[in-house]
Amino acid sequence: MTPALLAISIFTLIPILYAFFLMFFKVDILSGAKTFIGLDNFRKIFEDPKFWASFKNTVRYVAFVVPIQTTLALILAAFLNTKVKFSRAFLTIMFIPTLTSSAAMTLIFMWLFNNNGLIVNLIDDLFGVKMHFITNPSLALTVIMIMNIFSTIPHFMIVFLSGLQDIPESLYEAASLDGASSIQKFRHVTIPQIAPITFYVLTMGIVGCFQIFDQAFILSNGTGGPQNSTLTFSLYIYQLAFNSNDMGRATALAFVLGTIIFLVTYTVNKVLKADEVNG
């Protein structure tokens, strides 16, 4: 285990500890100068309007994307778990979005939703309305949401499918003997049995959505625009560290983000009680 532990220590544990140390200092990453300022980095963060913009955008993103991608992935997995036969070509096509890099996917969606893109022109032809998505502060984040849902559903669908196939058939047979309908079987047998899988999917979805960076960076060219409408926590951390040259505030914000992710996932675990299923 020594090589793996050494790699984890060098590339994960030591950077985390060093970041925890830096968040109490004003750090100039170019000169390497450090000045102890205590909790002043947190005060500056909470007083910065861009923090609250990134907080609002990220929470909205998580609240919209995670439930939809989880629900659709479960529905598709349940459909694939039926006795209906699907060709390998169909299943392969469904999984292509997950195999595509997020950068390439972002460029494709930028082409679809730009002011002269395919989707914009289609809406104009059908409804006579010229919508601007990427340059509209109210809709720019929605493009990233749709893209993330589209690209993550196939992966979570496979995870759910593996969980569904592990449920003992005897449980469904017992439910049938008790006169349970298909909906009742799904509610009282399927949902409780896949609670650990659901917790995993929700956790991965929450962590991934809170850490979203590359799509927002590419779509806004690193600015988080228009009008900070695509500014996320991770993008704001990047701006603080490499645009404002303030690694102290960047690490402080990373600590805030990590705390939020921990509290949300802990709450999800308590609500689902995934660790109490089957004993």
Side-chain angles (χ1 to χ4, degrees), residues 134-151:
I134 296 178
T135 57
N136 188 335
S138 301
L139 298 176
L141 188 64
T142 305
V143 175
I144 304 178
M145 292 177 180
I146 296 172
M147 175 176 55
N148 190 285
I149 292 172
F150 177 75
S151 61

Side-chain angles (χ1 to χ4, degrees), residues 22-272:
L22 287 181
M23 68 184 183
F24 299 107
F25 290 80
K26 179 177 177 58
V27 183
D28 188 320
I29 60 174
L30 296 180
S31 65
K34 301 182 184 65
T35 305
F36 180 78
I37 57 174
L39 299 176
D40 198 48
N41 280 326
F42 293 95
R43 180 187 62 80
K44 291 179 180 178
I45 286 173
F46 294 131
E47 290 178 352
D48 190 348
K50 293 186 72 173
F51 167 78
W52 295 108
S54 65
F55 179 83
K56 176 185 175 182
N57 292 335
T58 306
V59 170
R60 177 187 167 200
Y61 185 87
V62 173
F64 184 87
V65 171
V66 173
I68 293 179
Q69 71 182 10
T70 303
T71 302
L72 292 179
L74 178 56
I75 292 173
L76 287 173
F79 185 61
L80 290 175
N81 196 42
T82 61
K83 296 180 179 179
V84 179
K85 298 297 183 181
F86 297 91
S87 67
R88 291 185 179 272
F90 175 75
L91 296 176
T92 302
I93 292 173
M94 288 187 64
F95 207 71
I96 286 177
T98 298
L99 302 177
T100 306
S101 72
S102 59
M105 186 70 69
T106 303
L107 293 175
I108 292 172
F109 271 73
M110 287 178 66
W111 172 74
L112 290 173
F113 286 94
N114 66 36
N115 292 343
N116 290 310
L118 180 64
I119 300 298
V120 174
N121 290 333
L122 183 62
I123 294 175
D124 188 21
D125 293 338
L126 293 176
F127 305 103
V129 179
K130 191 72 172 181
M131 298 187 67
H132 299 285
F133 288 91
I134 296 178
T135 57
N136 188 335
S138 301
L139 298 176
L141 188 64
T142 305
V143 175
I144 304 178
M145 292 177 180
I146 296 172
M147 175 176 55
N148 190 285
I149 292 172
F150 177 75
S151 61
T152 55
I153 282 179
H155 169 70
F156 291 138
M157 176 191 69
I158 297 299
V159 174
F160 272 126
L161 183 60
S162 64
L164 291 173
Q165 292 178 345
D166 284 339
I167 299 176
E169 189 64 30
S170 58
L171 295 178
Y172 292 109
E173 294 173 355
S176 298
L177 292 175
D178 289 336
S181 64
S182 298
I183 296 178
Q184 290 173 326
K185 291 178 186 178
F186 186 79
R187 177 183 176 185
H188 297 290
V189 177
T190 304
I191 297 298
Q193 288 296 311
I194 63 170
I197 301 296
T198 305
F199 171 68
Y200 168 80
V201 171
L202 286 174
T203 301
M204 293 297 101
I206 290 170
V207 172
C209 288
F210 268 114
Q211 294 180 340
I212 179 176
F213 170 76
D214 47 354
Q215 297 97 326
F217 181 88
I218 295 172
L219 191 73
S220 67
N221 197 25
T223 64
Q227 299 178 21
N228 292 329
S229 61
T230 60
L231 184 66
T232 63
F233 271 129
S234 296
L235 181 54
Y236 184 37
I237 291 172
Y238 172 87
Q239 291 180 351
L240 288 175
F242 301 108
N243 293 348
S244 301
N245 191 25
D246 192 345
M247 188 61 72
R249 269 201 296 163
T251 53
L253 181 57
F255 177 79
V256 172
L257 175 58
T259 303
I260 292 173
I261 293 174
F262 172 78
L263 292 175
V264 173
T265 53
Y266 178 81
T267 303
V268 170
N269 186 37
K270 286 299 182 182
V271 171
L272 291 180

